[in-house]
Amino acid sequence: MNRLSIRNIKLVSLMTVALLIGIFSTSGSAEYGDVVINNYSDAEGMRPVIFPHWFHRIRYRCKTCHADLGFKLKSGGNDITMAKIIDGQYCGGCHNGEIAWAVENCDICHSGIPGTPTQVHGDTSKPAINKKR
Amino acid sequence: MKKSYTILLLTMLMGINSFVVKAETSNEASNKGVSNVNSFNRLLKKESKTNPPPMEDGIHDADNPGTALLQAPATAFETLDKSKHGNHINWVSSLDAAKIAPRWDRSDPTIQPIVFDLNIIREVKGSMPNVIYPHKAHTEWLDCSNCHPDIFIPQKGANQISMASIMLGEKCGVCHGTVAFPVTTSTCSLCHTQSKGNVQLPRSQASNSQ
């Protein structure tokens, strides 16, 4: 394959990505940056968790969660469990009855429509191609 | 050769953009005789209501008692600077204007970030303006360890960045497209800010003969 046709393929795929993004990027209706976390909830008979970035970033810089509390930048990528939360990790670093309301308010976090998969909303890359994770 | 492809790509991007804008207005007209199966925009989804309340956003369960307790984004955003993308909020200017006061430390509201003011200029091929990456706006929110060294190697020239990888959620695309303002056909100019002056665009055979 000569250099030109390799470049052609690259360009055509980039254009396809751009085209698909153009078509689909406006289709999501949930608030941008809302993360559905559903590694275990459905299987355990709880509604999936919805984490609103917009609400938290009004109160905290990204650093508090993504550096200090060690949340990895990957939805569903943190293997969060209630045991860890009660132990003060992840959401439990704040939702402990001191900084923010405590874990007994189950349905404020577990508020998603059952069956909603783990995902971040408004993700422009999602509809075009499945992200390499 | 390369340049003409860039222009083709740009034209396409702009084409999509104006298509979207046009569709949003022309869709209003109703053609009574035309069957629904032949609706004008079959696959193009009109931009749904921005900042929908949790009850209507398609992911929150309206039957869940806790859902009614949640704040609606539009209520929280009322006093913040607006934008046309993502949350439809300009988070950086809202922070700079002290319209929000997000904590840097989980429990001590007095601790302030150490802001690093260094612009990195990335020269871009073709006619697209160069990219100026501002450390300032980023270190107001993030810790160095959020990006270095996992996403970007902290060494000049060590990082290959392409639009394709960004759109696939790598490099800048880890956050831009998920939480920070997204990469869409209308946000190019937010990053491509440094004009190259008078770029000589390649001309077609037809215009050469004039």
Side-chain angles (χ1 to χ4, degrees):
Chain A
M1 207 185 272
N2 65 33
R3 278 178 58 92
L4 188 65
S5 59
I6 292 173
R7 194 193 292 148
N8 275 352
I9 290 169
K10 273 191 192 162
L11 272 159
V12 167
S13 47
L14 181 59
M15 283 173 186
T16 314
V17 172
L19 180 68
L20 288 168
I21 288 170
I23 294 174
F24 291 110
S25 63
T26 50
S27 63
S29 70
E31 185 60 35
Y32 185 70
D34 274 8
V35 181
V36 178
I37 311 176
N38 193 2
N39 292 326
Y40 304 111
S41 300
D42 261 344
E44 299 281 341
M46 292 294 288
R47 290 182 175 88
V49 171
I50 298 180
F51 171 80
H53 262 107
W54 64 269
F55 182 91
H56 289 86
R57 72 182 292 191
I58 288 175
R59 291 159 178 80
Y60 293 98
R61 320 270 175 141
C62 327
K63 171 258 187 192
T64 24
C65 293
H66 290 296
D68 299 350
L69 286 168
F71 280 100
K72 292 197 195 82
L73 294 168
K74 187 175 162 194
S75 34
N78 290 280
D79 196 26
I80 305 171
T81 62
M82 285 319 290
K84 292 179 188 169
I85 292 176
I86 291 161
D87 184 40
Q89 300 174 49
Y90 297 114
C91 322
C94 299
H95 289 280
N96 54 12
E98 284 177 38
I99 296 178
W101 42 259
V103 282
E104 65 257 23
N105 303 293
C106 317
D107 59 4
I108 303 184
C109 291
H110 291 273
S111 64
I113 296 171
T116 313
T118 297
Q119 62 191 298
V120 55
H121 279 269
D123 183 333
T124 42
S125 68
K126 186 125 296 161
I129 285 176
N130 277 333
K131 260 192 201 179
K132 239 192 344 201
R133 292 222 173 251
Chain B
M1 199 64 191
K2 207 186 264 171
K3 270 188 183 167
S4 61
Y5 275 117
T6 315
I7 289 168
L8 189 60
L9 176 62
L10 277 175
T11 326
M12 259 188 85
L13 287 168
M14 283 187 281
I16 295 164
N17 209 7
S18 51
F19 177 45
V20 171
V21 174
K22 241 184 256 151
E24 273 167 11
T25 46
S26 63
N27 220 15
E28 312 298 331
S30 64
N31 273 317
K32 289 202 192 86
V34 180
S35 149
N36 264 350
V37 292
N38 295 326
S39 69
F40 182 79
N41 302 118
R42 200 172 70 83
L43 290 178
L44 178 74
K45 302 245 184 1
K46 278 177 76 176
E47 182 148 15
S48 41
K49 211 172 124 198
T50 53
N51 310 129
M55 286 289 191
E56 297 162 20
D57 70 358
I59 55 170
H60 284 91
D61 189 347
D63 296 335
N64 170 43
T67 305
L69 299 176
L70 298 174
Q71 190 176 43
T75 311
F77 295 166
E78 224 169 76
T79 56
L80 308 188
D81 293 352
K82 304 292 184 284
S83 83
K84 292 207 170 85
H85 341 275
N87 297 114
H88 290 248
I89 287 302
N90 186 332
W91 291 101
V92 170
S93 77
S94 297
L95 177 64
D96 287 344
K99 293 179 180 175
I100 50 173
R103 291 186 186 183
W104 181 253
D105 183 86
R106 215 174 343 143
S107 38
D108 185 346
T110 63
I111 298 182
Q112 291 299 311
I114 302 162
V115 175
F116 180 47
D117 193 357
L118 172 74
N119 284 341
I120 304 288
I121 298 172
R122 300 216 26 133
E123 284 179 13
V124 177
K125 290 188 197 112
S127 57
M128 205 58 185
N130 291 332
V131 170
I132 302 180
Y133 165 81
H135 270 102
K136 183 164 178 284
H138 290 83
T139 51
E140 278 171 355
W141 291 96
L142 293 150
D143 191 72
C144 311
S145 70
N146 286 127
C147 300
H148 300 310
D150 285 2
I151 303 175
F152 299 106
I153 301 162
Q155 185 194 319
K156 193 171 182 236
N159 299 280
Q160 228 191 1
I161 308 177
S162 68
M163 273 328 288
S165 64
I166 294 172
M167 285 166 169
L168 290 172
E170 290 160 20
K171 305 293 169 191
C172 321
V174 171
C175 296
H176 290 282
T178 55
V179 176
F181 72 78
V183 181
T184 71
T185 47
S186 63
T187 53
C188 316
S189 62
L190 295 181
C191 297
H192 291 271
T193 42
Q194 193 191 55
S195 157
K196 289 173 174 167
N198 255 347
V199 204
Q200 202 59 60
L201 298 177
R203 306 195 304 168
S204 71
Q205 292 294 332
S207 56
N208 278 341
S209 65
Q210 280 175 12

